């Protein structure tokens, strides 16, 4: 069996939503201290909906595929859904990742959470810190 699914290869070769949103409403940047990969997510929010999302990922193929899939999964969805996106959901949508690459999908989950948190902070929206359990725990978090 191939190490990577066709879906992973597709999103790695043709990543969706790559780029920057200059007037983003929320930006989240996280990194993994072990592998050194960095992921940045930009959100545009309209009426509580993720109207646009873009990413920049300096990392491995699995991180790029995870970012691409994660952005597809939250685009057009309510912010509350984006916040609930788990790395398991990203991995499942990619038809799996090798065990030693699962942390790449965690980066996508954390980057989206950091971007939502940034949006809440900018808007002065109160939130329960427990909604962001991982935020600040990773070495590369600037959120
Ligand atoms: Fe670290 Fe993929 S090897 S994000």
């Amino acid at each position: 069996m191939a190490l990577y699914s066709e879906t992973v290869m597709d999103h790695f070769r043709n990543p969706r939503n790559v780029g920057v949103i200059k007037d983003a409403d929320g930006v989240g940047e996280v990194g993994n201290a072990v592998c050194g990969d960095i992921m940045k997510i930009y959100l545009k929010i309209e009426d509580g909906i993720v109207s646009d999302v873009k990413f920049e990922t300096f990392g491995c193929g699995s991180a790029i595929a995870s970012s691409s899939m994660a952005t597809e999964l939250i685009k057009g969805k309510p912010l509350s859904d984006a916040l609930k996106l788990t790395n398991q959901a990203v991995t499942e949508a990619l038809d799996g990742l090798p065990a030693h690459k699962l942390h790449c999908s965690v980066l996508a989950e954390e980057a989206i959470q950091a971007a939502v948190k940034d949006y809440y902070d900018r808007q002065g929206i109160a939130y329960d810190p427990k909604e962001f359990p991982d935020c600040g725990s990773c070495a590369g978090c600037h959120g």
Side-chain angles (χ1 to χ4, degrees):
M1 199 186 112
L3 191 55
Y4 294 104
S5 71
E6 269 309 308
T7 313
V8 171
M9 293 310 294
D10 176 37
H11 279 262
F12 167 57
R13 291 198 188 103
N14 309 294
R16 282 59 149 184
N17 308 309
V18 177
V20 175
I21 300 177
K22 286 214 168 70
D23 58 344
D25 297 311
V27 181
E29 183 176 336
V30 296
N32 182 294
V34 177
C35 66
D37 290 358
I38 295 170
M39 193 180 289
K40 199 164 180 179
I41 297 268
Y42 301 83
L43 296 177
K44 196 81 197 144
I45 311 293
E46 276 169 42
D47 297 327
I49 303 287
V50 179
S51 59
D52 199 10
V53 52
K54 296 236 181 291
F55 78 89
E56 291 178 303
T57 291
F58 304 95
C60 71
S62 298
I64 291 166
S66 294
S67 324
S68 171
M69 182 55 85
T71 55
E72 285 288 273
L73 289 172
I74 67 168
K75 202 172 190 177
K77 300 275 169 54
L79 202 53
S80 52
D81 283 8
L83 195 50
K84 281 190 241 142
L85 184 75
T86 61
N87 81 297
Q88 288 94 333
V90 174
T91 307
E92 273 168 31
L94 286 170
D95 296 324
L97 280 171
H100 69 287
K101 286 289 177 181
L102 286 175
H103 79 271
C104 315
S105 62
V106 173
L107 219 48
E109 176 188 323
E110 290 181 349
I112 290 172
Q113 285 184 359
V116 173
K117 186 169 177 288
D118 181 48
Y119 170 72
Y120 285 168
D121 286 340
R122 289 190 201 194
Q123 298 293 317
I125 297 171
Y127 54 82
D128 183 348
K130 288 203 251 348
E131 280 186 288
F132 303 94
D134 295 325
C135 228
S137 65
C138 64
C141 185
H142 300 281

